[in-house]
Each structure stands twice: as C-alpha cells, then as structure tokens.
Amino acid sequence: MSSEIRTGASRHFVLAAGGTGGHLIPAFALAGELHARGHHVALITDERGANIPGKPDYLTAHVLPAGRFGKNPLGWPKGIAAVLEGRRMALRLFDAFEPSAIVGFGGYPALPALLAATSAGLPSVIHEQNAVLGRVNRLLAGRVDAIATSYDKVDRLDPKHAAKVYLTGNPVRAEVLALREQDFPAFTEEGLLRVLVTGGSQGARVLSEVVPDGLAMLPPALRQRLQVTQQCRPEDLDAVRQRYAEHDIPAELGTYFEDMHERLADAHLFIGRAGASTIAELTAVGRPAILVPLPIATDDHQAVNTREMVKAGGARMIRQDAFQPKELAKQIQAMAMNPSSLANAAHCAFNCGRPDAVKDLADLVESMSGIDLMDVIRVGEGAAAATASARPATGSARKSAREFADQ
C-alpha cells in the first residue's frame, strides 16, 4: 500500500488492554505504528496501565471500571456492575472521539470497551498474544470482526471463528526489533558464554534458587567462560549474589535493567519464563532459550507458548517441578558445549520470528476503516471469504454511540 494512501487517510482508533506488560507492549507497538501513519490513538486500560513505564506521550489513557470474575459467584454481581459502568463510559468516549475501530488486547479492562463497540456497531478487532485464547478474548471472539493471533495454532479458539482469524504475530518494541538486523554474537570454544536470566517484570524466585547452582554444575571448561546477567527480586539479591560468589561465577544482578534490549543483543543464551512478549522478542532477535513456564499461568498458556519454538529447535522447555540444578546443567551442556549447536538453535529461533507483526496488525486495523487490506497478512484456515470486501459497515451504517450511552 502506498505511503500516500496511508498518510492521507487519517483515522481515530481506540486500543483497550489490561494493565500488564504482556497486554500493553503490543498495544504500545501498534499505537506507535498507527501514530506514524498519521492516525490518532487513545488507550483504555486500568490504573496500572495508565501509569506503566514506556507509555508513549501522545497516547492518552482513559481508566474505566472493569470487574473481575473469580471462582466465587458471590462476587460476580459487583463485577457485572463494573463492566456495565465501564461500557457506558466507553460509549461516551466513542461518541466524543469517533473511532474508526476498537482493538482489544485482552485483560479485563478490554471487556467493557469491546462490548461498547458491539453495541455501537463499531468495527472491532481482538489480538491474542498467547498460544491459548485468553478468557476475555474467548468471551469476545463471537462478537468482533477480526481475530489477530500470534501463533499458527491457538488453543481454545473455536473453529467456527476461523473465517475471521489473521496470523499477524505479536508486535515487539522497536528497539528490540532493530536487533534482528544484527548477527548472533560470535561464540567460540574459547570465548565467553553470556547468559541472560529474567523472570518477567517481577523476577522469578525459582530462577534465583536454581540457576546459580545449575551453572556451577557445568564442566569447568564451560563454567570458567560464563558471564551472567540476572534479574532478581529485591529480597533475593543478596542471597543470589552470595551464591555466585561462592561458585566464582561473574554475575551482574539487578531488579530492573533499563537497557534490557542491549543485554539481549549480547546474550548467547536466555533462561527464563515463557510469557508471550518474551518469546516474541527472543524469536524476533534469534536467541536460543531454556524456558521455564509459570506453572500457575491460566490454561497453562506459557507452556503452550513454547510449543512452536521448541519444535523448531530454538528452545528447550523444562517444567518448574523438574527445574533442578542438575537438569538445567544438562540442558545447557546439550545446547552450548558445541558452538555450532548454539548458533543453530539461534537460527531456529530466528526463523520463528514474525518481524512484520506490528505492520500486519496495523494493516488489519486500518482495513476496518475502509483502507484496503493488502496480502501481507496470512489468514487462518477457511478465511478466504473474510477478505477486505467483507468489512463491517462504516460511517452512516453504524449505530450512534450516543444511542447506547444511557442504556
């Protein structure tokens, strides 16, 4: 599609996402792409999302009520009341902002916004970051006009929605995507083995407990070449630092690294959780990994997230109950004792990446407002009928948001 068409077709879009990094990183990436194309973008989220680091200055955040629905039914009436109030507020926002489409990224704060879009007849898209369709996206899948996925196969996605599924990938931060143009750092039989260990935004205690001892069990020829960077919880820092000192392994520890993309650029091997953004970044850059899925993740989605990368040969997955020092050392040896094995795993990870994710997602979102959808997006099985010619109605064919604001 020509840049003249893009820049000449300014639209308004609303993004709705839960307040965690997993939901907001792709939302911010899409916001940046739409903004660069000349569009205006607003965000609906919760208090965490409105104040999370990394939110673009141009992206105005609107905090709406969003009820949660736990296992105890006694709390559901309160949750429903919050969703209905959030829906009313979203409709008033839509009436003032006049969006061309609403894009949901999962999480409970997205629910009232997408329900409001359905009520007002506004085109809507949901994006699923994980390899298992999340709860809120499952609730909305039958209502929205398009479903963007990050994986070829997404569990708990009803086959009856196949005609509106588009494989876009999971957008990553621009500074991470830029690393795709760099070669995998040279790794030789005498050179350093740089290991990056993270456990998500809050760290993971199991990594602090297992990784230092697992690295210490490596053969001396490999252990003496280690250089470790590890993110830890504040309360774990001293104990982890002492363990590395006892093992005589050089390690830089911190609770947060602002230059994480630069650490990733230098790393030969990643050890950590299997969140959607983590895997999207590893595959975008091409970094081999040992992944330890969070065992309490809803629908075990982190374990499912590893499926594609492990099958391709770019990663190894260890369940947390089996994540012991001896097993970790065994897996590292299998990947790193031969320099070519690690380089091959990096190549396999790289081939799983979807570097055009943010562009493809932006193309899909723009198509909801009448801009042609080009063939850069791979559609799901049976989606041949869901071409750009079958877009939802726009303009006068939509219902006015004001008609619903007081319902």
Side-chain angles (χ1 to χ4, degrees):
M1 184 179 299
S2 70
S3 59
E4 289 80 6
I5 293 177
R6 291 201 187 286
T7 56
S10 180
R11 302 283 193 273
H12 290 190
F13 296 99
V14 172
L15 313 185
T20 66
H23 297 304
L24 287 169
I25 288 175
F28 291 166
L30 176 62
E33 179 68 17
L34 292 174
H35 181 74
R37 296 183 183 192
H39 302 304
H40 302 280
V41 191
L43 174 69
I44 288 176
T45 185
D46 56 19
E47 289 286 354
R48 294 178 302 168
N51 297 294
I52 197 170
K55 184 178 74 65
D57 294 338
Y58 57 79
L59 186 61
T60 303
H62 302 267
V63 176
L64 270 60
R68 290 183 173 272
F69 299 91
K71 296 181 179 180
N72 186 355
L74 295 178
W76 292 357
K78 184 178 179 180
I80 293 172
V83 169
L84 292 176
E85 175 60 22
R87 175 178 168 274
R88 284 190 288 268
M89 293 174 67
L91 286 165
R92 289 194 288 270
L93 171 63
F94 297 166
D95 192 64
F97 192 64
E98 298 184 349
S100 295
I102 316 301
V103 188
F105 288 86
Y108 284 108
L111 182 58
L114 271 296
L115 292 176
T118 300
S119 297
L122 291 167
S124 56
V125 179
I126 54 174
H127 179 269
E128 179 54 59
Q129 300 87 51
N130 293 295
V132 180
L133 200 66
R135 289 178 181 174
V136 169
N137 281 347
R138 289 202 297 270
L139 287 172
L140 296 167
R143 297 171 174 264
V144 298
D145 300 294
I147 302 169
T149 65
S150 302
Y151 296 88
D152 282 300
K153 181 180 179 182
V154 178
D155 293 359
R156 305 204 69 172
L157 175 55
D158 196 316
K160 69 183 180 183
H161 302 314
K164 55 184 175 182
V165 174
Y166 296 80
L167 174 61
T168 63
N170 191 15
V172 300
R173 297 170 292 166
E175 60 267 30
V176 172
L177 188 59
L179 300 177
R180 190 171 175 85
E181 303 302 318
Q182 300 181 16
D183 292 334
F184 181 65
F187 177 60
T188 66
E189 292 183 358
E190 295 79 27
L192 291 174
L193 172 59
R194 291 188 290 270
V195 180
L196 176 62
V197 186
T198 75
S201 59
Q202 299 300 316
R205 175 155 293 160
V206 67
L207 298 175
S208 296
E209 294 172 344
V210 172
V211 173
D213 294 342
L215 294 176
M217 296 179 72
L218 292 172
L222 193 57
R223 186 179 69 241
Q224 293 168 5
R225 297 156 52 202
L226 287 170
Q227 187 176 74
V228 181
T229 299
Q230 182 163 348
Q231 176 205 20
C232 308
R233 292 181 178 182
E235 61 270 27
D236 296 335
L237 270 175
D238 290 341
V240 177
R241 186 174 288 113
Q242 182 176 349
R243 283 189 177 185
Y244 277 119
E246 291 173 353
H247 298 315
D248 196 25
I249 296 175
E252 181 181 0
L253 309 179
T255 58
Y256 178 75
F257 295 106
E258 291 187 2
D259 59 345
M260 185 61 79
H261 65 286
E262 296 180 7
R263 313 278 177 157
L264 185 60
D266 292 336
H268 294 112
L269 178 65
F270 173 88
I271 303 173
R273 292 300 195 195
S277 291
T278 295
I279 292 184
E281 293 187 353
L282 290 171
T283 55
V285 178
R287 292 298 179 270
I290 293 175
L291 300 169
V292 187
L294 179 68
I296 61 171
T298 304
D299 298 316
D300 199 26
H301 69 256
Q302 285 204 4
V304 184
N305 286 349
T306 71
R307 180 170 55 199
E308 183 177 76
M309 196 175 174
V310 169
K311 183 178 180 180
R316 294 174 180 240
M317 188 265 279
I318 306 175
R319 290 281 187 177
Q320 183 161 312
D321 58 3
F323 187 60
Q324 301 295 328
K326 185 176 180 179
E327 179 63 19
L328 176 60
K330 174 184 173 183
Q331 297 298 337
I332 294 175
Q333 281 185 256
M335 297 182 76
M337 283 299 288
N338 186 335
S340 63
S341 297
L342 199 60
N344 288 338
H347 182 70
C348 293
F350 183 89
N351 286 340
C352 291
R354 295 187 172 91
D356 294 327
V358 69
K359 295 178 182 178
D360 287 354
L361 183 58
D363 285 348
L364 176 61
V365 171
E366 280 187 331
S367 77
M368 296 293 111
S369 66
I371 299 176
D372 287 342
L373 175 61
M374 305 300 283
D375 59 0
V376 294
I377 296 179
R378 298 156 60 189
V379 298
E381 183 180 354
T387 61
S389 61
R391 288 187 204 98
T394 58
S396 59
R398 296 181 193 153
K399 299 177 183 177
S400 168
R402 190 178 297 279
E403 294 179 39
F404 299 94
D406 297 321
Q407 291 184 8

